[in-house]
Amino acid sequence: MPLSDAHLDPTRKHDFVFLIEAIDSNPNGDPDNAGMPRTDLVSGQGLITDVAIKRKIRNTVALINTLEPRAGREIYVEAGTALNSQHERAYTDSQVTDQKSAQEWMCRNFFDVRMFGAVMTTGKRTKQAGRVQGPVQIGFSRTIDPITPLDIGITRVTPTKEEDVKAWRERSEADDSDAKGKETEMGSKYVVPYALYRGTGHFSAPLAHRTGVTSDDLALFWRAFEIMLEHDRAAARASLALRGLYVFTHDDAFGRAPSHELFDRITVKARGDVNARTFTDYGTVEIRDTDLPPGITLTTLLPRTNG
């Protein structure tokens, strides 16, 4: 495999850093806090959970597979699909006779089981598929500086309940004055004016060997990671962008250097305030790649360079 494609080799350890920009958006709402952007209450920094990132990757892989269907690209954790029924599908295969062979079937057919792992011990005891530890692990993403979430008041001209419509009509008929203002309903939208999140992740070659990850799987993973925000647009996530994706690749399965030392080579200098409103407010991303440890290569997937 050419050196330029080292990040596609499943027999090597990979550690990666990524940067996500949010402009007037809510990248990860907290359901325990009325949907406000997740925040570290001590430091004031914004957070994006690993679960949120993995969900976007799963959704993107599913979209890709819709137009470019390939065997083994199904998604196990998918909205509207019961997990137990996914396990039971394995047992419809004549080659599946026990939990071990069911687990192998799940790894072979579901992309996210191969990459992220899964706990498949729910449902009927005779139709379970055990536990799989996935080779890809992603940590929480954290903003470079504290954030200032905004609670934006919004109105809706369409009431939720039919009785509200009838009540408004009765008020309008009984009052000759302009009663249209009573027809609207109030709501809130939570956004971050600007934030730059930094996250990290890992790929374990020994675990990938267990689950059967191929170079095509890795290529699909990086592709989905690069475009996941482009196909996850919503009213509260209209301006999210992946500003950087940097992959450190080791020349063996177990690694040549501690991941935290490699991550320290990709840094963004904090401003110390909450006034940033553009990516350029942070200057340039510092990349120390001239003295990498022996056996380590760095591939910059984003931003793309010419040539």
Side-chain angles (χ1 to χ4, degrees), residues 67-256:
L67 298 181
E68 304 171 12
R70 301 284 191 280
R73 287 186 176 180
E74 291 189 65
I75 297 299
Y76 169 65
V77 182
E78 191 168 22
T81 302
L83 297 182
N84 290 346
S85 64
Q86 302 280 53
H87 310 158
E88 292 176 7
R89 285 180 56 195
Y91 287 87
T92 63
D93 190 316
S94 59
Q95 302 300 316
V96 174
T97 58
D98 54 19
Q99 188 175 106
K100 184 177 185 300
S101 56
Q103 185 178 110
E104 293 171 350
W105 189 95
M106 296 294 289
C107 286
R108 192 164 57 248
N109 286 277
F110 292 99
F111 176 85
D112 54 338
V113 174
R114 280 196 308 281
M115 299 300 281
F116 302 140
V119 177
M120 301 175 288
T121 56
T122 58
K124 299 177 181 178
R125 186 174 296 276
T126 57
K127 296 293 179 67
Q128 296 179 1
R131 300 187 182 201
V132 173
Q133 184 178 1
V136 175
Q137 297 301 327
I138 299 172
F140 277 32
S141 305
R142 181 178 290 267
T143 56
I144 305 301
D145 285 305
I147 62 173
T148 53
L150 301 181
D151 182 354
I152 308 296
I154 58 175
T155 60
R156 184 174 64 185
V157 298
T158 306
T160 304
K161 298 177 289 187
E162 180 62 29
E163 51 264 36
D164 293 334
V165 177
K166 293 180 180 179
W168 174 81
R169 288 173 178 166
E170 292 173 357
R171 289 196 303 269
S172 298
E173 293 173 356
D175 188 353
D176 292 334
S177 63
D178 185 4
K180 291 184 178 179
K182 300 176 183 178
E183 184 185 16
T184 61
E185 290 189 356
M186 298 296 297
S188 293
K189 177 182 290 189
Y190 302 105
V191 299
V192 178
Y194 186 86
L196 184 62
Y197 294 78
R198 180 182 182 275
T200 59
H202 312 268
F203 177 87
S204 168
L207 293 179
H209 177 73
R210 287 184 181 178
T211 63
V213 173
T214 66
S215 58
D216 286 343
D217 288 331
L218 262 179
L220 179 58
F221 173 75
W222 297 127
R223 180 185 178 190
F225 207 110
E226 288 183 34
I227 66 175
M228 63 181 178
L229 301 178
E230 301 297 328
H231 297 276
D232 188 52
R233 304 295 185 193
R237 299 188 300 278
S239 297
L240 298 182
L242 188 66
R243 283 293 192 165
L245 179 55
Y246 311 91
V247 185
F248 292 96
T249 298
H250 305 247
D251 66 359
D252 77 344
F254 296 98
R256 296 293 187 183

